[in-house]
Amino acid sequence: MTLALGLHGGCGTLERSLMSEEAWAQSRAHMGAALKAGWAILAGGGRAVEAVEAVVVALEDSPHFNAGYGAALNENGRHELDASIMDGATLEAGAVCATTRIRNPIRAARKVMESGRAVLLTGAAADDFAAAAGLDIVAPDYFTTQRRVEALAKLRERGRLGTIVAASEAEKHGTVGAVARDGAGNLAAATSTGGFNNKPRGRVGDSPIVGAGTYARNGVCAVSCTGQGEIFIRRVAAYDCAARIMYGGQTLAAASDELVQKILASHDIGAGMIALGAEGDPRAPFNTIGMFRGWIGAARRIVVGAHEDLHDLGPA
Amino acid sequence: MTLALGLHGGCGTLERSLMSEEAWAQSRAHMGAALKAGWAILAGGGRAVEAVEAVVVALEDSPHFNAGYGAALNENGRHELDASIMDGATLEAGAVCATTRIRNPIRAARKVMESGRAVLLTGAAADDFAAAAGLDIVAPDYFTTQRRVEALAKLRERGRLGTIVAASEAEKHGTVGAVARDGAGNLAAATSTGGFNNKPRGRVGDSPIVGAGTYARNGVCAVSCTGQGEIFIRRVAAYDCAARIMYGGQTLAAASDELVQKILASHDIGAGMIALGAEGDPRAPFNTIGMFRGWIGAARRIVVGAHEDLHDLGPA
């Protein structure tokens, strides 16, 4: 029985010199707490799909990541949140997109999966579904933090000045995700995001798309992606990782590295993913200056990182 | 230079004994006209992506198929339309979901693709994008035909009577799609749908999801799917077909047949697809009693079918 758990908090980390020690310490603590929440489920005999949900809920509730509380604002200054979850044991999946009132979109994705009525629900219908399912509903401005308001204002100011309107990497790719392997060998993956600051209204990225931003299949791999979603959709990135293993005989290491460093990088985008192989071996490739990431593996220690170096937060 | 063009009009054809000769004659004529519209583009040196758009526009405008005019009604008696398009030459793609006012959703998908700002737009934002792009905007009831109103009423009546609320196969899977290969060897695919009668509000199926309902890649294949979308999403069906060819060395025939007859059928759903191989060889597997389908291949004749037998409609 090899339990394993991994997360990412987006490949849009700031340069080390621009990240305050306080912000990094908090991000580190929140990643550690998220991993602990998921690990408690795995160690208690819970299922992988429950563990990834718990990890993502914790990251959604942290203001340091671009999902749930603290999510990015779109071009209209509103939040439109996307999430998906997949159970590698059954290939069941659930997802929501363009939600505006669900405190934890990943919980709604799980409820959609369990409903059996749909895989993907969009917009107000997803909000209403979540409310009917008894999930926490919040006012749309619950998600708004000062950091995102300032980031959007800065982008708009740049737009007015006629300079290139581009989000910094840090604002672009704050998506969160988790992958897990439980004691029965089941894999699961989950992803949640606010998209990117100043994104077009109604734009849906790869995070709620099974096969693009999220994929899990027992005996193959579990994958959650971060980066410019449009390219991940066009490259069917998460499933491509699995297909390379299933049909091409690649290892997870080769498949995920080739995908991130070669295929996705060829589009000149920031890209990263957290992945587990069939036996729980973690991989966290990224082609940006950093990626918030962490895992608990065979050594049962909590390891997190933002740039190249890793921090050991102690035993799980 | 091998030009090739194929379409499907859904794998939810009625049993032969239940399909009136008039309805079948009209469906046949509309498929023939759709193929001619696409072929004129290919024969004139146009691109595959233009041809699949033209074919799908023609099918959207026909009341005999579940896309555009004549689309299915959801549980609230409303239309929510989905479409996607992919250019196999560039792997660019565009899609819209849960649209309510765009006369031809496939045109909006193409505009999204060309905008470069997104791959997938949802809901009212997609409608507004299409309007701003100059596309035909209609009142939501433009799409409504007597046939769909009666079908929904029948489903609701069954629901009230406590019997199983299940759409007939004919009401379920009327999605339309097209695949093409142009003179330069470029492949493209496009899909458009109204979902299924009585579908949950906000439910998004596989049709607007690149990799699930639609996929095209030069040198590999072009695929458009029809059937219960949730399973196609979970199986990442359209891209799985490509991955089996690229990584597994399967032929298109083997890949598409195995997918439809074994993988998708294992979920006990109706499933079908139209596909072209790298050189334009058409495949149209389905596991239902019929599938509206047609193509113009190397023989340059228009061939259409609903059940097992095929009709030759003359030279392209």
Side-chain angles (χ1 to χ4, degrees):
Chain A
M1 157 172 126
T2 307
L3 306 183
L5 187 64
L7 66 75
H8 70 76
C11 66
T13 50
L14 289 168
E15 276 182 54
R16 178 183 291 272
S17 62
L18 295 174
M19 191 187 290
S20 74
E21 184 47 44
E22 187 193 355
W24 171 216
Q26 284 185 6
S27 304
R28 206 160 56 206
H30 290 188
M31 286 193 286
L35 286 167
K36 275 190 179 171
W39 191 258
I41 290 169
L42 294 180
R47 298 188 60 240
V49 74
E50 296 166 349
V52 294
E53 180 184 4
V55 172
V56 170
V57 163
L59 295 172
E60 285 176 340
D61 287 345
S62 166
H64 290 284
F65 307 101
N66 175 11
Y69 177 59
L73 291 158
N74 74 5
E75 63 186 356
N76 291 355
R78 302 250 165 84
H79 301 281
E80 295 191 312
L81 306 177
D82 306 329
S84 66
I85 191 166
M86 187 163 192
D87 184 340
T90 59
L91 301 185
E92 288 176 322
V96 292
C97 65
T99 70
T100 63
R101 299 188 293 122
I102 308 167
R103 175 175 164 169
N104 293 109
I106 197 65
R107 288 201 198 280
R110 174 111 186 260
K111 290 285 188 188
V112 171
M113 177 171 78
E114 288 173 349
S115 77
R117 293 192 73 214
V119 166
L120 175 58
L121 289 180
T122 184
D127 287 327
D128 293 345
F129 168 86
L135 298 182
D136 276 3
I137 299 297
V138 293
D141 65 359
Y142 156 80
F143 302 106
T144 309
T145 55
Q146 192 58 27
R147 172 183 165 199
R148 301 294 179 190
V149 171
E150 287 167 7
L152 183 61
K154 201 180 289 181
L155 284 170
R156 285 175 169 169
E157 182 61 26
R158 278 190 232 161
R160 263 197 299 280
L161 295 172
T163 54
I164 295 163
V165 182
S168 75
E169 285 297 307
E171 296 305 328
K172 264 183 180 166
H173 308 308
T175 299
V176 308
V179 288
R181 183 184 193 276
D182 64 29
N186 298 314
L187 298 175
T191 310
S192 181
T193 193
F196 56 89
N197 261 319
N198 210 28
K199 71 177 178 180
R201 181 172 70 105
R203 175 264 188 187
V204 178
D206 64 316
S207 299
I209 308 295
V210 168
T214 305
Y215 190 75
R217 182 168 178 151
N218 282 9
V220 182
C221 63
V223 178
S224 172
C225 300
T226 167
Q228 195 188 313
E230 280 68 20
I231 301 299
F232 285 75
I233 293 176
R234 290 166 51 192
R235 287 292 182 173
V236 202
Y239 188 64
D240 186 62
C241 185
R244 287 169 178 273
I245 297 168
M246 288 192 294
Y247 303 135
Q250 286 191 311
T251 62
L252 173 66
S256 60
D257 284 355
E258 188 172 336
L259 191 49
V260 169
Q261 309 299 357
K262 197 172 134 190
I263 306 296
L264 296 168
S266 75
H267 292 270
D268 201 22
I269 61 159
M273 60 175 58
I274 184 79
L276 292 180
E279 301 307 319
D281 41 313
R283 299 292 302 180
F286 56 94
N287 70 359
T288 46
I289 52 169
M291 177 170 81
F292 288 115
R293 64 200 183 281
W295 53 83
I296 302 174
R300 301 213 168 189
R301 297 191 69 85
I302 302 171
V303 175
V304 299
H307 300 96
E308 288 207 358
D309 53 319
L310 295 170
H311 291 245
D312 186 323
L313 301 184
Chain B
M1 156 173 131
T2 306
L3 305 183
L5 187 64
L7 66 76
H8 70 75
C11 66
T13 51
L14 288 168
E15 277 182 52
R16 178 184 290 272
S17 63
L18 295 174
M19 192 188 290
S20 75
E21 184 47 45
E22 188 192 354
W24 171 217
Q26 283 185 5
S27 303
R28 205 160 56 206
H30 289 188
M31 287 193 286
L35 287 167
K36 275 191 180 171
W39 190 258
I41 290 168
L42 295 179
R47 298 187 61 239
V49 74
E50 296 168 348
V52 294
E53 180 185 4
V55 171
V56 170
V57 163
L59 295 172
E60 285 176 340
D61 287 346
S62 166
H64 292 284
F65 308 100
N66 175 10
Y69 177 57
L73 292 157
N74 75 4
E75 63 186 356
N76 291 355
R78 302 250 166 88
H79 302 281
E80 294 190 312
L81 307 177
D82 305 329
S84 67
I85 192 165
M86 187 163 192
D87 184 340
T90 59
L91 301 184
E92 289 176 321
V96 292
C97 64
T99 70
T100 63
R101 301 187 292 120
I102 308 167
R103 174 175 166 171
N104 293 108
I106 197 66
R107 287 201 197 280
R110 173 111 186 259
K111 290 284 188 188
V112 171
M113 176 171 78
E114 289 174 348
S115 77
R117 293 192 73 212
V119 165
L120 175 57
L121 290 180
T122 185
D127 287 329
D128 293 346
F129 168 87
L135 298 183
D136 276 3
I137 300 298
V138 294
D141 66 358
Y142 156 80
F143 302 106
T144 310
T145 55
Q146 192 57 28
R147 173 184 166 197
R148 300 294 179 190
V149 172
E150 287 167 7
L152 184 61
K154 201 179 289 182
L155 285 170
R156 286 176 169 169
E157 183 61 25
R158 277 189 233 162
R160 264 196 298 278
L161 295 173
T163 53
I164 296 162
V165 181
S168 74
E169 286 296 308
E171 295 306 328
K172 264 183 180 166
H173 309 307
T175 299
V176 308
V179 289
R181 182 185 195 275
D182 65 29
N186 298 314
L187 298 176
T191 310
S192 182
T193 194
F196 56 89
N197 262 319
N198 212 28
K199 71 177 178 181
R201 181 172 70 104
R203 174 265 189 187
V204 178
D206 64 315
S207 299
I209 308 295
V210 168
T214 305
Y215 191 74
R217 182 168 177 153
N218 282 9
V220 183
C221 64
V223 179
S224 172
C225 300
T226 167
Q228 195 188 313
E230 279 68 21
I231 301 299
F232 285 75
I233 294 175
R234 290 166 52 194
R235 287 293 183 171
V236 202
Y239 188 63
D240 186 62
C241 185
R244 287 168 178 273
I245 297 168
M246 287 191 295
Y247 303 135
Q250 286 191 312
T251 62
L252 173 66
S256 59
D257 285 355
E258 188 173 336
L259 191 50
V260 169
Q261 309 298 356
K262 197 173 134 191
I263 307 297
L264 296 168
S266 74
H267 293 270
D268 202 24
I269 61 158
M273 61 175 56
I274 183 80
L276 293 179
E279 302 306 319
D281 39 314
R283 298 292 302 180
F286 56 95
N287 69 359
T288 47
I289 52 169
M291 177 171 80
F292 288 114
R293 62 201 185 280
W295 52 82
I296 301 173
R300 304 216 166 184
R301 297 191 69 84
I302 302 171
V303 176
V304 300
H307 300 95
E308 288 208 358
D309 53 318
L310 295 169
H311 291 244
D312 186 323
L313 301 184

